[in-house]
Amino acid sequence: MSKVKIEGHGTGTGTFTVTTPSSNTDRTITLPDSTGTILDNTSTLDATKLSGNLPAISAASLTNVPKDTTVGGKKNMIINGAMQIDQRATSKTGVTSSGYHTLDRWNLDNSGLGTFTMSRSADAPSGFYSSLKMDCTTAYGSAGGDDFNAIHQDLESYDGVSLGYGTSDAKSLTVSFWVKCSQTGTLQFNLVHYASSTRQISATYTINTANTWEKKTITFAGDTSQASDNDNSKGLVFEWFLASGTGRTSGGSPQTSWGAYALNKRNAGSTISIGDSTSDTWQITGVQAEIGSTATDFEHRSFGEELALCQRYFQILQDNAGYFAGNAVGSNRIDTGIPLAVPLRATPSFAANGYITHRSGNANSSTNQATVGSYNANSTTLKIRFGGHSVTDEVAYVISIASEDLLIDSEL
Amino acid sequence: MVITNAKYIKDVVTNENYAVSATIDGQGYNIPMDTGNRHYAEIIKQVADGTITIAEAD
């Protein structure tokens, strides 16, 4: 049998007493078969003292949870991060210019560095169903100094104020995303802060294995030097560089702490270029930007929520969607109000894509004649002036959109 | 943005310019004269830089 030894300390003078509770039941305490110290309420319990699975703990029992690791609510600042919404088009071939070509909120800056098919691809990592795909179809020969090619999403200033920029409490921001690229190497990501001045901070991410989905996480410190605007202007820009000329690389290295906008560092950390070979592809999805220094699981929003968020920046009034009452103003214009899905960010442009308006009296306008009559930031109607008609002043007409959809662009 | 063919649109009732038509990155637009609109903001920037001019309305 084992022996039991109770030994006093060699120098202490206190008396240690082992007591029993008042009980009529026999109890046995089994000591661990190891050397150690019994824990009390002053002991630390770090990860080395834990093994196995923790029991379930109710969130209601947790206190002092740091705000930057909150796992609920609208944590993702990125809109359409799962690449679900493509009001304009699912795919566009022959892309050589800048613009919002396919997926909502995702803008391409391309000054001619290659020709691409830009699409919403069904190729995505587990848990996602779409990705933004850039597929080079014509390679560029050599990049001019000012040429560049980048994908970006611009955040409205209103939506960045919670970061507390411009104060000593400016919060960290963590960006996570899945990326798949045909080349291995390093590409640069920039966070650009537009307010009273333009500032930037940058990082690189590495494609370790070609043609394989990889998750990347980048954390940036808060910008303590410049407060964000609190309005509907462009605030933070999340920018993934694909290629550039020397005008954006000559700075030598990326700017990895907040500082003034440095054009020549904007792609200084990339070791590969997307667009200089027809074998080049680059895909991204699951993009999340959240306050704090931890990348938590992607926040999947409902399709309807995501669509509504996108429609603040772009909406379509479908060809032949219905008739709208209007009033003739002068001899060639009908003013009417159209319904909006959600209030627009700002006074919109209308794409001149060949739409006409058909009015009561069975007559058509000439093409592309819509201009904004009046805009209200909180309204779900928009007054539009439809020109190009032959009408009688102050007579009521009903009109419909015909031939093409009316594209309403309020993007950043 | 690459902007070409910028031209004012005039209100036939007030006879004042109130919008601009332009081709931006290959796409035609009718653009309000509101600096909150990204197209108009870029147009006036490029006008100030001397890169483009806006033609008078027809």
Side-chain angles (χ1 to χ4, degrees):
Chain A
M1 64 178 278
S2 302
K3 297 176 182 177
V4 177
K5 178 181 179 183
I6 299 174
E7 185 176 56
H9 195 276
T11 57
T13 59
T15 300
F16 277 69
T17 304
V18 178
T19 65
T20 65
S22 175
S23 172
N24 297 321
T25 305
D26 293 342
R27 307 287 189 190
T28 300
I29 296 175
T30 302
L31 297 172
D33 186 16
S34 62
T35 300
T37 303
I38 295 174
L39 298 174
D40 64 12
N41 60 2
T42 66
S43 302
T44 59
L45 187 61
D46 59 38
T48 64
K49 294 168 184 165
L50 294 171
S51 64
N53 297 323
L54 287 171
I57 301 173
S58 167
S61 301
L62 298 175
T63 60
N64 298 322
V65 176
K67 291 180 180 176
D68 62 355
T69 57
T70 298
V71 292
K74 292 282 189 293
K75 63 182 178 182
N76 191 0
M77 294 179 171
I78 297 291
I79 296 173
N80 203 18
M83 311 299 174
Q84 295 173 284
I85 312 298
D86 56 356
Q87 294 185 85
R88 295 171 181 83
T90 299
S91 179
K92 187 173 181 180
T93 60
V95 173
T96 57
S97 62
S98 301
Y100 292 87
H101 295 292
T102 56
L103 285 152
D104 282 60
R105 304 262 43 236
W106 292 99
N107 196 354
L108 170 69
D109 273 331
N110 184 7
S111 59
L113 283 187
T115 303
F116 291 88
T117 294
M118 187 174 182
S119 66
R120 176 170 67 82
S121 169
D123 177 22
S126 177
F128 297 93
Y129 299 92
S130 299
S131 63
L132 185 162
K133 184 173 185 179
M134 297 293 293
D135 185 355
C136 179
T137 54
T138 303
Y140 66 85
S142 60
D146 293 331
D147 289 341
F148 72 107
N149 193 351
I151 294 285
H152 59 101
Q153 181 167 134
D154 301 354
L155 193 71
E156 195 171 339
S157 293
Y158 280 135
D159 298 330
V161 293
S162 58
L163 287 160
Y165 282 4
T167 73
S168 58
D169 294 327
K171 296 178 176 64
S172 297
L173 180 69
T174 294
V175 180
S176 55
F177 55 93
W178 287 89
V179 64
K180 180 178 178 180
C181 182
S182 58
Q183 300 182 57
T184 58
T186 299
L187 289 165
Q188 184 161 332
F189 173 81
N190 302 312
L191 181 63
V192 186
H193 183 202
Y194 288 85
S196 55
S197 69
T198 304
R199 293 166 58 76
Q200 74 181 59
I201 189 170
S202 304
T204 58
Y205 62 94
T206 300
I207 306 296
N208 297 303
T209 307
N211 298 314
T212 303
W213 283 109
E214 299 176 348
K215 187 173 183 180
K216 307 299 177 186
T217 299
I218 298 168
T219 296
F220 292 116
D223 183 359
T224 57
S225 297
Q226 176 173 260
S228 300
D229 290 334
N230 186 22
D231 57 26
N232 65 346
S233 65
K234 179 163 61 179
L236 287 174
V237 172
F238 302 83
E239 180 180 65
W240 288 258
F241 254 83
L242 302 181
S244 78
T246 55
R248 286 169 174 76
T249 63
S250 60
S253 60
Q255 182 167 294
T256 54
S257 57
W258 281 107
Y261 176 76
L263 185 70
N264 65 0
K265 290 178 175 287
R266 209 153 171 177
N267 192 35
S270 294
T271 62
I272 57 176
S273 298
I274 308 301
D276 57 0
S277 165
T278 54
S279 300
D280 287 353
T281 60
W282 182 87
Q283 291 170 255
I284 190 169
T285 193
V287 185
Q288 179 155 285
E290 57 194 306
I291 291 175
S293 54
T294 303
T296 63
D297 288 348
F298 183 81
E299 177 185 61
H300 286 280
R301 293 188 282 249
S302 74
F303 187 89
E305 285 178 289
E306 209 72 69
L307 175 61
L309 292 173
C310 292
Q311 286 174 323
R312 177 168 173 77
Y313 306 92
F314 181 79
Q315 296 183 30
I316 296 174
L317 185 64
Q318 299 285 343
D319 167 23
N320 201 27
Y323 279 89
F324 307 98
N327 185 59
V329 179
S331 61
N332 70 354
R333 195 179 94 203
I334 299 171
D335 288 5
T336 188
I338 63 163
L340 298 172
V342 299
L344 293 164
R345 180 194 66 85
T347 315
S349 302
F350 299 113
N353 61 343
Y355 64 85
I356 59 173
T357 50
H358 182 76
R359 68 164 171 81
S360 48
N362 196 26
N364 292 327
S365 71
S366 48
T367 58
N368 304 327
Q369 294 291 318
T371 51
V372 174
S374 63
Y375 158 81
N376 184 297
N378 301 317
S379 176
T380 52
T381 61
L382 182 69
K383 183 180 179 182
I384 303 183
R385 299 167 166 181
F386 289 106
H389 285 281
S390 178
V391 290
T392 302
D393 189 28
E394 292 298 335
V395 170
Y397 293 87
V398 293
I399 61 174
S400 67
I401 306 299
S403 294
E404 293 287 344
D405 300 334
L406 183 67
L407 309 182
I408 305 167
D409 189 328
S410 193
E411 262 293 357
L412 281 160
Chain B
M1 293 181 194
V2 178
I3 301 174
T4 57
N5 304 320
K7 178 190 269 189
Y8 284 112
I9 301 172
K10 186 169 286 188
D11 186 322
V12 294
V13 176
T14 65
N15 203 35
E16 294 179 352
N17 296 328
Y18 74 98
V20 176
S21 65
T23 302
I24 300 178
D25 295 325
Q27 170 68 60
Y29 288 96
N30 288 344
I31 301 155
M33 293 170 61
D34 180 337
T35 54
N37 179 285
R38 66 185 172 114
H39 294 136
Y40 186 66
E42 183 64 20
I43 286 172
I44 59 174
K45 176 181 179 296
Q46 293 196 18
V47 168
D49 292 344
T51 307
I52 64 168
T53 57
I54 307 174
E56 287 303 316
D58 293 329

